[in-house]
């Protein structure tokens, strides 16, 4: 793609050049010097009366006037440009000065047009008409009436990217050159603004320096503005510098842990000697080191001072403390008050495995967990051993359960896999009626697979995730085989894309099934309940199940959940804020037979805040079947 060029083209490092600006700048400079000289000549000397008033503590007659605002502004311009200009204009900023004198006000009137022209130019208006009229209001406060006709927006007439350095003749970089040109955003016909120009240049530089050429730089850039034709002629010159390849890995900061563990994690991210430099691979390696939990900080970079054909990769780490004790206090609308105590030992003596013990006390649930994880192997897998004791109350029913698990897992931010064997034992009773079911136990084998493709794992706005789980088991009392499957899908999709203020859909689907000859012999921990935040809002946690004749609900063999939510950002002063509103409808059902599935619906409104640790969500939901409102609050996003 080769855009047309103009004769007598000059490439200068200046970001914007307008044919009218040199004369205008000279006139403004002379006006400013004249105003400054007038202010110096007219500065009054201190009078004896003023000194006497000051020594006696009396205020001069002008003190009351100085306490008032020095002037008012009436700005007339097309919306929303009027609010934006008033918010950024120098006149508005200086209007809060109480001691602004007549001379300073006259100087501001001289420089105000240039200030407004510069602001308008940053938004793509290079031929505006500006008229400033000074009036005096009834209360003697000056009124500055400013009329702005911004004129037509400047549009990109032509653009050109010139590449110098080894990238010009490198056949391996052909696709990179094409991608750089195709990714250019300020094409012909697009509105030109300074912000877009800066962003386009940086995006082009990142596209070049992120792959093969880490030393790439901008050598020249020019945005030549023609105010008469309302056109912008753009030129950008990039020097690639030499192409780099990954060399050997150098580890710094490792003391307790073997450097081989770091080498293994970096290789799993795709960084290997002989490969072309790729910034994304270094970032992935750095994230793997942090996700391992063994390091408080990790930095992975390329040593560009070495031979480009085999530049060393430097991994600098700071190890986390070998043991950690965490005491947590919290609360949620679903689970009530929460107290947790967690101990982590990153290298158990004699075993070299990580051990995590956690005790969590909630309003209706008591849980004790113990987990052991081996170091990661060459393929990214770990061995896992885990055990859990739990006492859970749902309405009048109390379920006591035990669980043991052994298997392997392969973790990652985008992809997770699990393969494990599990023992479950559960007993449900109603203490008030002294009714106790027989304990049900089973042995089962499971495979889990989770894929995440969100734009942000903490505050997602686009993308989707899918989680699948398949299992086969045998009940230990009746020796009956059973199969178990569960699937979850969540997505964020744009809504009403033609709107000036974009919004999104948050969609969620979940389904599960257990196939067994005698469903009641499958432990309760292998069956399903629904309700609460992240499930069906408007209902209590695990409130949706198979009704019992004595009261309460049992877990069921079938589960279906669907949710549709419209999330719309809140705009303040024409800018998008960190707040969002939401409208949602949830529906879910639990049963032992397909014909008995009866969806229970919850609908409501919500408020979201994008915090650094994830979205803060407050939802007010109405449970249609319960005919009652319920408040739900949560922090963070997990899939």
């Amino acid at each position: 793609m080769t855009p047309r060029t103009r004769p007598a083209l000059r490439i200068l490092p200046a970001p914007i050049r307008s044919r009218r600006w040199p004369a205008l700048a000279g006139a403004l400079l002379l006006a400013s010097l004249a105003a400054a000289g007038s202010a110096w000549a007219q500065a009054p000397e201190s009078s004896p009366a003023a000194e006497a008033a000051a020594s006696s503590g009396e205020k001069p007659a002008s003190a009351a006037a100085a306490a008032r605002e020095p002037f008012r502004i009436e700005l007339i311009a097309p919306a929303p440009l009027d609010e934006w200009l008033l918010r950024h204009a120098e006149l508005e900023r200086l209007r809060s000065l109480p001691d602004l004198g007549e001379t300073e006000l006259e100087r501001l009137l001289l420089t105000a047009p240039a200030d407004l022209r510069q602001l308008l130019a940053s938004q793509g208006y290079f031929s505006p008409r500006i008229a400033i009229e000074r009036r005096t209001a009834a209360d003697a406060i000056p009124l500055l009436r400013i009329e702005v006709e911004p004129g037509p927006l400047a549009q990109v007439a032509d653009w050109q990217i010139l590449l110098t350095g080894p990238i010009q003749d490198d056949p391996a970089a052909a696709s990179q050159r094409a991608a750089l040109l195709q990714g250019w955003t300020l094409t012909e016909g697009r509105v030109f603004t300074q912000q877009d120009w800066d962003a386009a240049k940086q995006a082009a530089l990142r596209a070049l320096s992120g792959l093969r050429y880490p030393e790439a730089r901008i050598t020249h850039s020019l945005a030549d503005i023609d105010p008469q034709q309302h056109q912008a002629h753009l030129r950008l010159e990039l020097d690639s510098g030499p192409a780099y390849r990954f060399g050997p890995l150098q580890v710094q900061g490792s003391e307790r842990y073997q450097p081989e563990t770091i080498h293994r994690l970096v290789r799993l991210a795709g960084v290997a000697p002989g490969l072309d430099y790729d910034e994304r691979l270094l970032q992935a390696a750095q994230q793997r080191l942090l996700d391992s939990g063994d390091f408080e900080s990790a930095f992975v970079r390329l040593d560009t001072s070495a031979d480009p054909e085999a530049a060393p990769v430097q991994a600098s780490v700071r190890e986390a403390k070998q043991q950690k004790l965490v005491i947590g206090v919290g609360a949620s609308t679903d689970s009530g008050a929460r107290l947790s105590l967690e101990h982590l030992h990153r290298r158990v003596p004699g075993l070299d495995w990580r051990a995590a013990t956690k005790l969590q006390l909630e309003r209706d649930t008591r849980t004790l967990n113990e987990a052991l994880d081996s170091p990661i192997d060459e393929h990214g897998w770990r061995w896992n051993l885990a055990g859990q004791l739990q006492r859970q109350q749902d309405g009048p029913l109390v379920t006591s359960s035990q669980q043991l698990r052994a298997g392997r897992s392969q973790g990652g931010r985008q992809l997770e896999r699990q393969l494990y064997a599990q023992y479950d034992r559960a007993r449900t009773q109603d203490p008030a009626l002294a009714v106790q079911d027989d304990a049900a136990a089973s042995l089962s084998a499971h495979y889990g697979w989770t894929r995440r493709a969100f734009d942000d794992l903490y505050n997602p706005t686009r993308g989707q995730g899918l989680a699948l789980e398949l299992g086969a088991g045998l009940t230990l009392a009746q020796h009956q085989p059973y199969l178990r499957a569960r699937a979850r899908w969540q997505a964020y999709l744009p809504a009403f894309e033609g709107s000036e203020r974009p919004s999104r859909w948050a969609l969620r689907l979940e389904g599960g099934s257990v196939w067994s000859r005698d469903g009641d012999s499958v432990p309760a921990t292998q069956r399903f309940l629904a309700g609460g935040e992240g499930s069906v809002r408007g209902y209590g946690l695990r409130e949706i199940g198979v009704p019992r004749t004595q009261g309460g609900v049992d877990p069921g063999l079938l589960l279906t959940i669907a949710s549709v939510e419209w999330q719309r950002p809140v705009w303040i002063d024409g800018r998008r804020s960190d707040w969002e509103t939401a409208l949602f409808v949830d529906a879910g059902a639990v049963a032992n037979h397909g014909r008995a599935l009866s969806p229970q619906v919850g609908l409501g409104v919500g408020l979201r805040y994008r915090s650094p640790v994830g979205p803060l969500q407050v939802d007010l939901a109405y449970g249609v079947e319960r005919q009652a409102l319920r408040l739900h609050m949560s922090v963070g996003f997990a899939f």
Side-chain angles (χ1 to χ4, degrees):
M1 179 177 183
T2 306
R4 67 180 188 275
T5 59
R6 300 171 63 242
L9 171 66
R10 292 192 299 156
I11 299 179
L12 300 174
I16 291 181
R17 179 167 61 87
S18 174
R19 295 178 174 86
R20 289 183 175 179
W21 286 8
L24 177 62
L28 289 176
L29 178 60
L30 292 175
S32 299
L33 291 174
S38 174
W40 177 267
Q42 296 177 10
E45 298 181 357
S46 176
S47 64
E51 293 178 359
S55 61
S56 63
E58 297 178 2
K59 293 184 179 181
S62 61
R68 303 180 305 178
E69 55 182 345
F71 59 88
R72 298 188 181 127
I73 297 177
E74 180 185 0
L75 194 145
I76 302 174
L81 198 59
D82 52 351
E83 294 183 2
W84 186 86
L85 285 173
L86 197 57
R87 186 166 59 247
H88 293 89
E90 185 183 13
L91 281 173
E92 177 64 20
R93 181 176 60 85
L94 298 178
R95 194 168 64 88
S96 60
L97 297 178
D99 55 348
L100 192 67
E102 181 67 22
T103 302
E104 288 80 4
L105 180 56
E106 291 296 331
R107 182 185 63 82
L108 287 177
L109 291 178
L110 289 173
T111 60
D115 176 53
L116 293 172
R117 288 181 185 276
Q118 186 174 0
L119 291 174
L120 290 166
S122 69
Q123 302 302 301
Y125 300 97
F126 290 91
S127 55
R129 290 186 177 182
I130 301 174
I132 302 180
E133 180 183 1
R134 177 175 175 175
R135 299 178 178 178
T136 302
D139 54 2
I141 297 179
L143 173 65
L144 305 184
R145 179 183 172 86
I146 305 174
E147 295 187 23
V148 176
E149 294 182 13
L153 281 165
Q155 295 182 341
V156 177
D158 56 72
W159 59 276
Q160 187 176 27
I161 297 179
L162 305 175
L163 298 176
T164 61
I167 192 175
Q168 287 180 306
D169 305 319
D170 188 353
S175 59
Q176 187 177 2
R177 292 193 296 267
L180 191 151
L181 293 176
Q182 292 173 1
W184 182 256
T185 55
L186 278 180
T187 54
E188 288 91 342
R190 292 288 302 271
V191 172
F192 175 87
T193 67
Q194 179 68 51
Q195 182 178 359
D196 292 342
W197 170 232
D198 292 338
K201 290 188 294 183
Q202 291 304 315
L205 181 60
R206 286 195 300 269
L208 184 57
S209 63
L211 182 64
R212 293 188 182 88
Y213 307 100
E215 294 290 272
R217 62 191 180 92
I218 297 176
T219 53
H220 293 93
S221 66
L222 171 67
D224 190 3
I225 307 300
D226 185 348
Q228 301 293 339
Q229 301 297 323
H230 315 295
Q231 291 180 343
H233 307 276
L234 309 181
R235 300 293 181 270
L236 178 65
E237 184 174 334
L238 299 168
D239 182 7
S240 67
Y244 280 78
R245 295 180 182 272
F246 290 135
L249 178 66
Q250 300 174 350
V251 178
Q252 302 174 354
S254 179
E255 297 177 359
R256 293 191 304 270
Y257 308 134
Q258 294 294 328
E260 180 57 31
T261 301
I262 300 177
H263 282 258
R264 198 172 296 160
L265 290 169
V266 172
R267 285 196 299 270
L268 288 171
V271 178
L275 295 181
D276 288 333
Y277 165 82
D278 192 332
E279 185 181 16
R280 294 171 299 179
L281 296 181
L282 294 183
Q283 293 174 349
Q286 181 171 299
Q287 194 60 56
R288 274 191 173 267
L289 291 172
L290 294 173
D291 290 343
S292 70
D294 293 333
F295 308 102
E296 290 184 354
S297 64
F299 300 95
V300 182
R301 58 180 293 273
L302 188 74
D303 183 5
T304 55
S305 63
D307 180 12
E309 290 298 320
V313 176
Q314 298 175 338
S316 303
V317 299
R318 185 173 63 188
E319 296 178 342
K321 294 183 179 179
Q322 194 164 1
Q323 297 190 60
K324 181 173 68 173
L325 180 65
V326 179
I327 300 175
V329 178
S332 71
T333 52
D334 284 341
S335 304
R338 178 177 65 254
L339 174 65
S340 63
L341 179 65
E342 183 175 3
H343 176 261
L344 176 65
H345 198 304
R346 291 186 169 85
R347 287 293 183 269
V348 177
L351 185 60
D352 206 31
W353 285 29
R354 180 187 305 168
T357 306
K358 184 176 182 179
L359 173 65
Q360 184 161 301
L361 307 177
E362 297 176 300
R363 179 182 57 198
D364 301 322
T365 306
R366 310 287 188 270
T367 306
L368 176 63
N369 283 301
E370 178 69 33
L372 289 170
D373 297 313
S374 74
I376 196 169
D377 66 13
E378 290 287 347
H379 304 288
W381 288 86
R382 296 179 186 270
W383 288 101
N384 313 114
L385 295 174
Q388 176 179 285
L389 300 176
Q390 188 175 76
R391 184 183 185 275
Q392 183 175 290
Q393 183 170 356
D394 299 307
L397 303 179
V398 177
T399 300
S400 300
S401 63
Q402 303 84 43
Q403 186 181 90
L404 295 174
R405 176 183 293 187
R408 303 186 75 194
S409 65
Q410 186 185 51
R413 296 173 70 84
Q414 280 74 39
L415 180 64
E416 285 186 9
R417 292 188 287 181
Q418 292 180 317
L419 184 63
Y420 58 92
Q422 187 166 292
Y423 166 78
D424 287 273
R425 184 178 185 276
R427 182 193 300 272
T428 302
Q429 60 180 343
D430 188 338
L433 300 177
V435 176
Q436 180 170 301
D437 297 345
D438 294 334
S442 69
L443 283 175
S444 56
H446 299 261
Y447 175 75
W449 181 91
T450 301
R451 181 74 170 90
R452 304 178 187 89
F454 299 105
D455 60 344
D456 189 323
L457 294 181
Y458 297 100
N459 284 289
T461 59
R462 286 179 181 263
Q464 58 183 320
L466 178 63
L468 302 174
E469 181 186 339
L470 300 174
L474 181 72
T475 62
L476 299 184
Q478 296 84 8
H479 299 287
Q480 294 289 335
Y482 69 91
L483 298 175
R484 185 180 189 272
R486 187 168 188 170
R488 292 184 298 122
W489 175 77
Q490 187 164 349
Y492 295 89
L493 306 174
F496 313 114
E497 291 191 84
S499 174
E500 295 182 358
R501 296 186 174 182
S503 56
R504 77 182 74 91
W505 298 110
L507 309 177
R508 179 164 43 90
L509 295 174
E510 186 172 352
S513 181
V514 174
W515 296 273
S516 173
R517 292 183 185 178
D518 185 3
D520 292 339
S521 63
V522 178
T525 50
Q526 290 281 285
R527 291 178 277 152
F528 308 105
L529 289 168
E533 176 64 38
S535 179
V536 182
R537 287 163 287 188
Y539 300 83
L541 184 65
R542 302 184 299 270
E543 188 177 85
I544 301 175
V546 179
R548 279 193 168 201
T549 56
Q550 305 95 338
V553 295
D554 280 327
L557 301 178
L558 297 174
L559 167 71
T560 59
I561 295 175
S563 174
V564 178
E565 180 170 305
W566 181 43
Q567 299 176 347
R568 185 174 185 272
V570 176
W571 294 72
I572 301 175
D573 293 333
R575 291 186 294 180
R576 182 172 176 170
S577 70
D578 290 329
W579 293 92
E580 294 181 342
T581 58
L583 298 174
F584 59 85
V585 177
D586 298 342
V590 174
N592 286 329
H593 305 283
R595 60 181 179 273
L597 286 171
S598 179
Q600 302 194 44
V601 178
L603 48 89
V605 298
L607 188 64
R608 311 280 183 264
Y609 176 73
R610 292 173 59 84
S611 74
V613 296
L616 168 63
Q617 302 186 170
V618 180
D619 294 320
L620 183 62
Y622 177 76
V624 176
E625 281 68 27
R626 293 178 69 251
Q627 296 186 352
L629 289 170
R630 190 177 186 90
L631 182 68
H632 299 273
M633 297 180 63
S634 65
V635 178
F637 170 79
F639 184 87

